[in-house]
Amino acid sequence: MPLPQPTPTPTPEPTPLPQGRERFFVLQPGERRPGRAPLPPGLDVKARTADTEGRLAILENRLDIDIPPHIHHHADEFVYVLEGELEADIDGLTHRLTPGMCVLLPHGVPHALRNASQPPARCLQISSPGGWDAFMEDMFEAGPVVMKDGHPDHDRLNEIGAKHGMQYGIDNEPGHTTPPRSA
């Protein structure tokens, strides 16, 4: 005689989360948000533009290479130094930042960043609105073509950066643009 089979319990419909709760996440130390393109060690996306509905992007960066003069046409950039030292150039002045210091780099204002310590500076970078994570992915997908003769290739960076409101080859003097480096 066959044994009686239990009556299956219907699976309840999942309860929808209150608005915004579906975007909640926690990262452990050293973790990063997954993206569409691999980023090098020391460039960790902590909150993607998609995570924040476009409002901002948060990255933890190790400043292994200097960031040449450039401008963000749409996004403000906030940089908080966690470890090491960096220099921020803006309006012809150099500001040295040490751990605990920060700088707000408003959109429309040319600036550059340089590492000033060993090991390299480690910073928390917040851009608002978001998009910086997508620009980084596009740049690293392009590979080494963004460099020419050991220097950033402004033409290639500008080609990649155009859809993100980024422009390289900008001088730190108000209203002055330097031409891209020639080959």
Side-chain angles (χ1 to χ4, degrees):
M1 174 167 170
L3 293 173
Q5 298 296 315
T7 307
T9 306
T11 304
E13 289 294 317
T15 305
L17 295 170
Q19 184 167 356
R21 298 278 200 286
E22 70 279 358
R23 295 186 298 117
F24 176 83
F25 64 86
V26 173
L27 293 179
Q28 298 299 316
E31 286 186 319
R32 60 168 66 183
R33 296 291 290 149
R36 63 176 166 74
L39 298 178
L43 186 56
D44 298 330
V45 176
K46 299 301 184 177
R48 300 181 56 74
T49 300
D51 295 332
T52 68
E53 297 178 332
R55 292 179 183 89
L56 54 100
I58 303 173
L59 293 86
E60 183 178 324
N61 297 329
R62 188 177 62 226
L63 201 57
D64 290 328
I65 62 166
D66 295 342
I67 311 301
H70 64 283
I71 192 168
H72 308 247
H73 291 291
H74 308 295
D76 288 347
E77 181 179 9
F78 178 84
V79 178
Y80 181 88
V81 179
L82 299 167
E83 296 174 352
E85 297 181 13
L86 69 82
E87 293 178 339
D89 296 336
I90 187 167
D91 288 336
L93 298 174
T94 298
H95 304 271
R96 191 172 191 100
L97 284 79
T98 59
M101 293 179 74
C102 56
V103 62
L104 176 65
L105 303 164
H107 70 279
V109 178
H111 59 276
L113 298 171
R114 258 183 330 282
N115 181 58
S117 64
Q118 285 304 323
R122 191 170 63 89
C123 308
L124 189 64
Q125 175 193 347
I126 302 169
S127 63
S128 176
W132 189 253
D133 52 326
F135 171 66
M136 290 284 107
E137 288 175 338
D138 287 353
M139 191 172 67
F140 283 99
E141 274 184 336
V145 298
V146 296
M147 299 294 281
K148 186 191 308 183
D149 299 325
H151 299 284
D153 182 344
H154 293 165
D155 290 333
R156 188 68 176 117
L157 286 172
N158 286 336
E159 189 178 306
I160 295 166
K163 74 178 183 181
H164 302 286
M166 300 283 298
Q167 184 180 359
Y168 286 81
I170 302 293
D171 198 342
N172 284 321
E173 297 299 324
H176 183 242
T177 302
T178 54
R181 296 176 194 243
S182 59

